[in-house]
Amino acid sequence: MAEGLKDAALYFHKHPRPGKLTVEATKPLATQRDLSLAYSPGVAYACTAIAEDPSEVRNLTARGNLVGVVTNGTAVLGLGNIGPLASKPVMEGKAVLFKKFAYIDVFDLEVDETDVDKFCDVVAALEPTFGGINLEDIKAPECFEIEEKLRARMNIPVFHDDQHGTAIIVAAAILSGLRCVEKKLEEIKLVTSGAGAAALACLKLLVSMGVKYENITVTDIDGVVYKGRAAMNAHLEPFAQDTDARTLGDVIDGADVFLGLSAPGVLKREMVEKMAKDPLVLALANPDPEILPEDVREVRPDALICTGRSDYPNQVNNVLCFPYIFRGALDVGATTINEEMKIAAVEAIADLAQQEVTDVVASAYGGEAPTFGPDYLIPKPFDPRLILEIAPRVAKAAMESGVATMPLDDFGWYHEKLSQFVYRSGQVMRPIVLSAKQDPKRVAFAEGEEDRILRAAQTVVDEQIARPILVGRRNVIAEKIEELHLRMRPDVDIDIVDMQADERLDSFAETYHDMMARRGVSPDRARQIMRNRPTAISSVMVCRGEADAGICGAIGRWRDHLVEVIDVIGPRQGVHRCAALSLLIMPQGPVFILDTHVNPKPSASDLIEMVGLALTEVRSFGIEPKVALLSHSNFGSSSLESAVRMRESVAALKKHYPDVEIEGEMHADAALSESIRERAFPKAGLTGAANLLVMPSIDAANISFNLLKTLGRGLSVGPMLLGTAYPMHILPSSVTVRGIVNMAAVAVVDAQAHHQARSKKE
């Protein structure tokens, strides 16, 4: 197994190109003008602006989002003093974590210097390059001196993660564990095994949070740290106790917390037996802890246990902390990372552990959805809410403690900005979500028993986007809410249409029969459908005005739901064909594709009608449409039927919508590249890249959509069903919780427009 992991790891680092990092340009260099702006002569203006006002460096360069990960390789975790060159894979790995979890860029610096002053000279001289410094894998006691000297010399955050990152997540685990067993920091007795840099940082942070010096006993390789002990590190002196005890076994009796940052096997079962009621055991030596969790459980079933390993619950992992504390510090231009900021991070992590687990976390961990308790004291590393909880609290603490040079005025805006990191759809969806929040509507969710729908409904309630109406069996929905540890309350935060016992079902059946009587549906069949087909129920509710909009499709085939929706709701007055508009949020920006799901081969008149519907939907996102009708033909190069159909549609659309940029028929690359388009047709009525792509068939649209989504790393929203008499959307069965939330917001905005249109008619 070890050999297999070794081979896989080496292959991973070698292919498809060596290493884990690359440097990519954020500005185009496609033309001579681009080059003149990026370098000489244009770059001189940026340099001059910074020379005149140094704070402009944040606006004109990458420094404000750039951290230096710095080491000399003298204490690489699990490997020891392997030197700077061999430590480079670890530092590249740290850079990847910064980017993955907090979208922070990193240059890793492996410094071939062990002299403290010379090392500090090298790092301090690099201050103009970075917004912060993360010290890594530097041995004690030099690490203490290096950090102290660099903090004194540099006006940017300097953070030794081995000390403070570990301290923050350990403190969060202890705080969370004590909350679980209802103990207080200021009252606990704590015993440590280990007195290195990480252990001392943990203890100092815990003291600043309320743990009393007299209640802390430190042990190391030489035994108990006691007053008068020979050759004692100066950093240990505050923790020296006046005691005759000399071993870990002598001091463990009655301890509420054991903190191990030492070596395998040092904590024995008989020692754990002597600990206080509901003890918290943090056995963090890695890969082999001070005691195995199963050994603790055997003698103390009441114990709460944390390790540094991912194969046991409650992994103490620095990745829960360091990316987000830097995110908050960088975003307010903090000059340091102080105790207030660390404590803010601790409390944010501990608070998050008490919230319900999201679908993203559950899916990342095999569908597991743990709840706060002995086996879930610490959030999972892939919890996307970590950045949303920690960074704002760290930023606020920096501001309140006076170390922020660029304080934030609006934390609501900041939260939305961070949300865009977590959910790439955030920026594009922002106008829709804001509009929905201004006038929330009732949205009926057909598959109300489905886990994703329930999680999405919780988010919809939390974000005040809509009032969810869940269609399903009331008892099942109630059980699922409890099982998923959601907070929404039936009949308070959400409504339920019970498919087994709702008193309105007979009335729904009458309405359905009135609609479908001439299509062979008997009254008995209508009653049966209203107790078994949730899409039909939600559609009827929307038609009757008992819901303002509906969402279905999370389970089953998309076209089956479409048939049911069209049967009940149908097209709105004046619309001959409904259509589906899908949004892809690409790295280059949003792209809408029409029609991905409904019309196999739309006629020219169909295309004209569909584009008109799509223009309204695109504008609801706050985006001005730029329309390209795509074809194998490029501006008249083919006379095949599909090309002629697209060509005729363009001519008619330009007459119908003279104020909209519409062009075609054209190749897809011409639609997205102005330079390609100009070579083919210099007088095209389209500027820049098109953002609404109209396809000649459902095959072309659906294939293009899925290729772009997969190969182009596009994030999908929709499809949005256009042209129905009432707002109703059909989800793809692969939709995520965030995708459902996005579609709920779209449905609310569509319902708002529908109500406004009806009000005008009345």
Side-chain angles (χ1 to χ4, degrees), residues 33-61:
R33 178 168 173 76
D34 291 341
L35 187 59
S36 68
L37 292 172
Y39 201 58
S40 182
V43 71
Y45 296 104
C47 294
T48 302
I50 295 168
E52 293 173 352
D53 179 4
S55 67
E56 278 297 296
V57 71
R58 186 181 182 89
N59 299 322
L60 298 172
T61 75

Side-chain angles (χ1 to χ4, degrees), residues 227-290:
K227 290 185 183 295
R229 195 176 85 166
M232 185 163 51
N233 186 314
H235 294 278
L236 279 174
E237 289 180 2
F239 300 100
Q241 297 290 353
D242 188 3
T243 178
D244 293 330
R246 292 296 180 265
T247 69
L248 176 60
D250 294 336
V251 296
I252 198 69
D253 191 12
D256 297 285
V257 179
F258 168 79
L259 172 58
L261 287 157
S262 55
V266 299
L267 184 66
K268 309 300 181 183
R269 294 188 191 189
E270 56 269 24
M271 297 179 187
V272 177
E273 285 185 283
K274 296 191 292 183
M275 293 182 71
K277 182 178 181 294
D278 299 321
L280 178 57
V281 177
L282 290 90
L284 306 181
N286 222 349
D288 299 315
E290 287 80 0

